[in-house]
């Protein structure tokens, strides 16, 4: 007797359908799983055996073969427990084999036959809907799966509930999506006193999706500014919400069935390894740059990151994807993130501050800043110096502009530029390339002449030249101007020179 159901394997965010086949045949009693299964899948034998025993069922005294097809794809994780158990139950004729054949299932089994949460439910449910299959997942993740729009979702709490559903004894209701009841608190720009230039840079960055490098002494407000950038960014589109939520689902970071509706803000410590940042490890999991997809990756104390780790960001910053190659896997994750970085001008932190420099200046600053390569610096669109705030400015009671006012200008700029992105793959100015950039970023003669002159004097690379056009395009959008004028280009160029020592 052979029974079949379906499960999934993940290759990055790509979902591969896996057929679960169970055969009962004559021979010595045994339970064998074949099909390139890892240790977690192989241990499924004992979890399934214990779960069935808790329901008062015993394995038949026959040779049990479980085949995970296609056999040349590595199977990893505990989410194969549920489909293996249900295919075995169907092979034992407890439920009809035909009733489970049209379902994709995933879930880990407890020894008491409860079905426990697993990673990747959202992309798996979307894949099931694309294959015209029903989908079975743990009860805690039913609302997460429901966001896929799949009409055939079952979310049982125990194996017994699922068996009774397929036998027609009782029926499981279709899970409903959950909406967040409380808004996420975001720090506000009104808490930042002074630093008007840095605030302007953050506004431009939010409107165009540009990368920013801040340099300044300790305590000048660099981290404060970065933490408040999400409060002025435009909301995510439904497509972006689904993209980001799928990545977080695979990483096991979705909670209580809620999708990720606010732009991610990831701030890894400078001791983070390269696999933690770009992705990888034993199972090639998504890294911080993919978890920051369509959001912000904030790297504080930039020169303290290992150089090889920083250099690994160069390709994702250009391409918007990261490819993780391992001996047993080659996976690709989306990584369209906005890089915001902060650094001190030197190791002691006070280079350029009168009366506070150490006795090794300026060599101290030169050595410290040399930790960041030129190609990496070239990928920052905006550079800004963040000086110390005077005590009387900190004590001032003057009301600062809040995030809501800045966000309204950013939103207006986005709406102004909306027609530009209708028929192209880009979604913001920082993604414009090639002929699309030439067609959409029109410079008047004075702006063109200024850019050529500045590019020659500042020795801008080809990348730097085009980044200046993109930044100027964003500044023009903020001013609701169809054409990039000389004043827009002049402001863009003023943020190009890195606040680093020569």
């Amino acid at each position: 007797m052979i029974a079949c159901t379906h499960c999934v394997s993940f290759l990055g965010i790509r979902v591969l359908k896996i057929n679960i086949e169970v055969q009962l045949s004559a021979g010595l009693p045994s339970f064998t799983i074949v099909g390139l299964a890892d240790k977690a899948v192989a241990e499924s034998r004992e979890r399934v055996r214990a779960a069935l025993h808790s329901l008062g069922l015993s394995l038949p005294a026959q040779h049990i073969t479980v085949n995970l097809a296609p056999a040349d794809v590595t199977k990893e994780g505990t989410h194969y427990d549920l489909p293996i158990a249900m295919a075995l139950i169907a092979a034992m004729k407890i439920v009809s084999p035909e009733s489970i054949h049209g379902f994709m299932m995933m879930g880990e089994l407890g020894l008491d036959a409860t079905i426990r949460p697993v990673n990747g439910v959202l992309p798996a449910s979307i894949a099931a809907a694309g294959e015209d299959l029903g989908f079975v997942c743990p009860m805690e993740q039913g609302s997460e799966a429901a966001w896929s729009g799949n009409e055939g979702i079952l979310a049982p709490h125990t194996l017994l509930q699922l068996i009774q559903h397929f036998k027609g004894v009782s029926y499981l209701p279709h899970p409903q999506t959950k909406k967040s009841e409380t808004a996420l608190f975001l720090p506000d720009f009104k808490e930042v006193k002074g630093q008007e230039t840095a605030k302007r840079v953050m506004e431009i960055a939010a409107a165009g999706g540009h990368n920013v490098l801040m340099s300044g002494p300790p305590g000048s407000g660099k981290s404060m500014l970065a933490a408040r950038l999400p409060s002025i960014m435009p909301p995510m589109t439904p497509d972006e919400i689904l993209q980001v939520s799928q990545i977080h689902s695979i990483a096991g970071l979705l909670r209580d069935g809620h999708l990720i509706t606010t732009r991610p803000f990831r701030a890894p410590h400078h001791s983070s390894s390269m696999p933690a940042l770009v992705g990888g490890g034993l199972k090639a999991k998504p890294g911080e740059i993919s978890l920051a997809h369509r959001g912000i990756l904030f790297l504080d104390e930039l020169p303290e990151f290992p150089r090889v780790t920083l250099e690994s960001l160069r390709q994702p910053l250009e391409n918007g994807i990261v490819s993780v190659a391992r001996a047993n896997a080659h996976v690709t994750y989306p990584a369209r993130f906005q890089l915001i970085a902060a650094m001190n001008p030197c190791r002691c932190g006070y280079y350029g501050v009168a009366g506070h420099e150490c006795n090794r200046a300026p060599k101290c600053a030169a050595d410290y800043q040399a930790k960041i390569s030129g190609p990496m610096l070239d990928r920052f669109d905006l550079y800004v110096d963040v000086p110390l705030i005077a005590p009387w400015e900190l004590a001032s009671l003057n009301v600062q502009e809040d995030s809501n006012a800045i966000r309204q200008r950013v939103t207006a700029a986005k709406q102004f530029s909306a027609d530009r992105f209708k028929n192209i793959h880009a979604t913001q100015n920082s993604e414009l390339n090639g002929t699309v950039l030439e067609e959409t970023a029109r410079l008047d003669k004075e702006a063109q002449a200024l850019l050529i002159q500045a590019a020659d004097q500042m020795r801008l690379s080809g990348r730097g030249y085009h980044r200046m056009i993109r930044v100027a395009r964003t500044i023009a959008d903020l001013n609701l101007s169809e054409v990039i004028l000389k004043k827009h280009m002049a402001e863009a160029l003023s943020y190009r020179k890195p606040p680093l020592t020569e």
Side-chain angles (χ1 to χ4, degrees), residues 399-428:
V399 177
Q400 305 293 314
E401 188 176 36
D402 63 12
S403 292
N404 184 53
I406 303 174
R407 186 172 58 252
Q408 288 180 4
R409 294 197 295 269
V410 170
T411 302
K414 285 285 187 180
Q415 292 174 346
F416 180 78
S417 64
D419 290 341
R420 188 180 310 148
F421 302 103
K422 280 185 177 179
N423 300 316
I424 59 177
H425 293 298
T427 60
Q428 51 192 1

